[in-house]
Amino acid sequence: MAWTKPMPAHPVVAVAGATGAVGREMLKCLEQLDFPASEVRVLASARSAGQTLPFAGCGQVPAGELTIQEMTEESFQGVDIALFSAGASVSKKFRQAVTEAGAVMIDNSSAFRVDPDVPLVVPEVNAAAIAEHNGVIANPNCTTIQMVVALEPLRALGHIDRIIVSSYQSSSGAGAKGMEELQVQTGQYLAGEEFEPKAFAHQIAFNCIPHIDVFVDGDYLNDVPEGYTKEEWKMVVETKKIFADDSIEVAPTCVRVPVLRCHSESINIEFDRPVSVEAVKEALANGTHVTLEDDPANNVYPMPALHADSFETFVGRVRRDHTVGDDKGIALWVVADQLLRGAALNAVYIAQALLPQE
């Protein structure tokens, strides 16, 4: 049964995990979108309670300092929207307290993404699914979000039968500790010092690691083929769920690269009919929150160093995939800030979609 409690025009918003990398970006998104909140509560563990976070203000909340509160089951009384980025175990622990308090949980972890009773939402793609929630809405994985935002405008050109995607994921995908390790390790490497990887399985400075999250077996997420990581298989099941299309075949490879921020993806698409490069470019240029950046003759194409802190998904290197017959194949390159577009921003866009529509 779908949720029936009406959302006020000026909701009380809680950010759970406010001191983490994504939690801080959620606060920035509330600021920059001037979300019409009547109150913003920042929640974290007991060790952070009492500290403050700067806040530029939004809605009816003035600029100033927000005092961090310890997250308990009582924290959600009077809350309308709870933005969660505190890890799957924490989300599962507090789910009942959030929904029983009458709040809607928008969860950035993997806790509920494959739950058939929880909508998995990217508003530019499947906003209608929000209406089916029963107190919890899942935010997809960052790599999935930027891919489906880029592909959504192309679905009008024909059915996408197959996607081959390789991701080049920045160190911030592993949180603040991942960024710190890249920065520190780079200096250690250049100084000829010895170091021990901690945030990643191997050296990240001047290296690429084709291993994100754990390797999984067939018991996880419906018979995963041997040799895939959990990060890779998320892209398979989440794409099917968001597009509401189990027929789409997705073959992913996820790689950690020595970039501080923004994930990149090389994507090859096979349609069910001939599609021209010109039609693809036109569709992308008109896509929602998509920016076409495609002028290779002048060395113009998306790069992660250029697009940190951007709300957009950038697409370039659009070309024919000559290995697919009958002009049904297209190749392209996608870059987006995964902390924003792939996490915090998507969650706040979902929150916006929950507001009463004029």
Side-chain angles (χ1 to χ4, degrees):
M1 182 177 179
W3 194 259
T4 57
K5 180 183 175 182
M7 182 64 63
H10 299 282
V12 175
V13 178
V15 178
T19 58
V22 174
R24 290 174 184 269
E25 296 297 334
M26 286 175 170
L27 290 172
K28 290 180 183 178
C29 290
L30 293 173
E31 295 169 343
Q32 292 180 41
L33 294 173
D34 194 19
F35 190 85
S38 61
E39 178 188 344
V40 175
R41 299 181 191 175
V42 287
L43 309 175
S45 63
R47 66 178 179 272
S48 299
Q51 299 176 25
T52 60
L53 293 172
F55 190 64
C58 72
Q60 299 175 348
V61 183
E65 300 282 331
L66 299 176
T67 301
I68 299 169
Q69 304 174 32
E70 179 184 358
M71 182 162 53
T72 68
E73 292 186 349
E74 289 70 42
S75 299
F76 303 97
Q77 295 299 319
V79 169
D80 299 298
I81 298 173
L83 301 171
F84 262 71
S85 186
S89 61
V90 175
S91 296
K92 291 176 181 178
K93 176 182 177 181
F94 285 97
R95 175 182 184 171
Q96 185 172 352
V98 172
T99 56
E100 286 185 353
V104 178
M105 173 189 279
I106 301 173
D107 184 53
N108 190 56
S109 79
S110 61
F112 311 115
R113 290 173 182 159
V114 298
D115 186 328
D117 296 321
V118 175
L120 183 68
V121 175
V122 177
E124 296 92 334
V125 181
N126 64 333
I130 293 173
E132 302 304 315
H133 82 84
N134 195 20
V136 181
I137 302 168
N139 216 29
N141 191 39
C142 52
T143 49
T144 306
I145 290 174
Q146 71 181 71
M147 182 174 75
V148 299
V149 168
L151 296 187
E152 174 61 17
L154 308 185
R155 297 174 70 208
L157 305 179
H159 183 267
I160 296 175
D161 290 342
R162 186 179 185 218
I163 301 166
I164 301 173
V165 54
S166 294
S167 69
Y168 304 82
Q169 299 181 218
S170 63
S171 63
S172 55
K177 67 182 185 297
M179 289 188 283
E180 181 182 7
E181 183 152 315
L182 173 59
Q183 290 171 317
V184 172
Q185 200 178 89
T186 298
Q188 292 171 324
Y189 181 91
L190 291 172
E193 300 172 2
E194 293 187 359
F195 51 82
E196 180 182 353
K198 295 179 181 178
F200 304 108
H202 299 280
Q203 169 188 326
I204 185 61
F206 303 99
N207 193 26
C208 295
I209 307 170
H211 175 189
I212 301 176
D213 213 319
V214 297
F215 285 90
V216 293
D217 58 31
D219 293 331
Y220 176 81
L221 292 180
N222 303 321
D223 300 324
V224 181
E226 183 178 358
Y228 283 86
T229 65
K230 186 176 179 181
E231 182 81 358
E232 290 161 351
W233 209 247
K234 288 175 189 175
M235 297 191 74
V236 177
V237 296
E238 292 177 15
T239 300
K240 291 174 181 284
K241 184 174 181 179
I242 294 164
F243 283 156
D245 186 349
D246 286 336
S247 71
I248 297 177
E249 298 292 345
V250 184
T253 301
C254 294
V255 183
R256 187 74 70 193
V257 297
V259 168
L260 278 174
R261 189 156 168 162
C262 290
H263 289 354
S264 304
E265 295 175 350
S266 172
I267 305 174
N268 289 59
I269 313 155
E270 182 176 348
F271 290 89
D272 67 342
R273 65 195 69 181
V275 174
S276 71
V277 171
E278 293 73 20
V280 169
K281 289 184 178 182
E282 182 178 359
L284 290 168
N286 293 315
T288 304
H289 298 145
V290 175
T291 296
L292 181 64
E293 201 170 58
D294 191 77
D295 185 8
N298 290 300
N299 300 329
V300 175
Y301 26 69
M303 292 183 288
L306 301 179
H307 295 312
D309 298 314
S310 175
F311 283 8
E312 290 289 286
T313 295
F314 296 87
V315 185
R317 295 296 316 281
V318 181
R319 61 203 186 277
R320 172 73 55 207
D321 180 346
H322 68 89
T323 69
V324 180
D326 300 323
D327 291 337
K328 295 180 180 180
I330 292 290
L332 43 80
W333 174 254
V334 179
V335 172
D337 185 324
Q338 90 290 348
L339 292 177
L340 283 172
R341 177 63 270 191
L345 180 64
N346 197 74
V348 176
Y349 279 159
I350 294 172
Q352 285 184 322
L354 289 170
L355 297 172
Q357 304 302 306
E358 297 181 358

